Amino acid sequence: MSMLDVMRRLQAAMPAGTQPKFKNAEELMAWQLEQGRIDSQRIAEQNRLTRLQKVLGRSGIQELHQSCTFDNYNAELPGQRHALEKSKAYANRFGSGFGGFIFSGGCGTGKNHLAAAIGNQLLSSGKSVLVVTVPDLMMRFRETYQDGAKTTEAKLMDDLCNVDLLVLDDIGVQRGNTNEGVVLFQIVDRRLASKKSVGMLTNLDAPALRELLGERIMDRMTMDSGMWINFDWASYRRKVKS
Ligand SMILES: Nc1ncnc2c1ncn2[C@@H]1O[C@H](COP(=O)(O)OP(=O)(O)OP(=O)(O)O)[C@@H](O)[C@H]1O
Ligand SMILES: [Mg+2]
């Protein structure tokens, strides 16, 4: 059946008065090609996420943080309000630049909560998100060298570099691991080169993080409206217990 026949059939099937979406066979052909491109992108994205989930044994956001939202983040202190507003703004403008975020502060201050709230908002608008701890990531890289590995090092790197938002958690807990700096450098460098942002959660302060990641990464993380937020208040975990 020719394109023209398809057009005629479509037109005949439309209720009277409906404006056809395509005025000629070329437009229909262009539309079909575009749909094909969108479909194959969607399939590639789905495969990548399935592969990542298989390697990690879970979805993009840990179960513990899947219920974290901006609404259930309790912002009593000025610093918490600042962190909340900045995080909301980041989620709302996501995609308009490649600036990332660094949440730095002590245990239980809500870094994961707000990162997950950003991630959950993006997931609900169809973006792909992965929050992963650096020690977990390093283990997954080591696993790629074993017999019967679920993925290759190159593929894992590709997959990490292609998700819309990657949040690297617990940066700096494995100090002295020289590989960590190299792997992180590669991930951040590649993502930023293709204008994909990175989030970082850490207990380290600015000088310590700068020492671990190097000048170049730090500068690029804070470029293009990237933001650094200090979580300098007491642990929420203690608050819940008392
Ligand atoms: N302001 C807040 N409002 C509501 N819940 C909070 C708030 N801050 C933290 N929480 C909750 O407290 C728990 C600990 O917070 P979270 O895991 O985000 O801490 P963290 O900063 O990532 O700590 P760590 O450095 O130990 O990983 C989580 O269950 C989180 O949802
Ligand atoms: Mg945390």
Side-chain angles (χ1 to χ4, degrees), residues 153-174:
E153 184 190 13
K155 221 177 230 167
L156 178 55
M157 189 57 93
D158 280 349
D159 292 342
L160 291 168
C161 290
N162 278 316
V163 287
D164 294 316
L165 175 67
L166 177 68
V167 180
L168 299 167
D169 188 11
D170 283 342
I171 294 189
V173 297
Q174 284 186 326

Side-chain angles (χ1 to χ4, degrees), residues 8 10 43 46 49 55-56 84 103 121 127 140 146 172 202 230:
R8 285 205 191 100
L10 275 174
I43 292 167
Q46 202 49 53
L49 291 178
V55 170
L56 298 166
L84 175 63
F103 294 168
Q121 177 170 324
K127 302 272 188 241
R140 304 303 169 188
Q146 291 165 6
T202 185
N230 281 320

Side-chain angles (χ1 to χ4, degrees), residues 64-65 105-113 133 169-170 201-203 237:
L64 177 69
H65 294 116
C107 294
T109 50
K111 299 182 297 296
N112 272 94
H113 188 117
T133 69
D169 188 11
D170 283 342
L201 313 182
T202 185
N203 294 145
R237 294 192 187 106

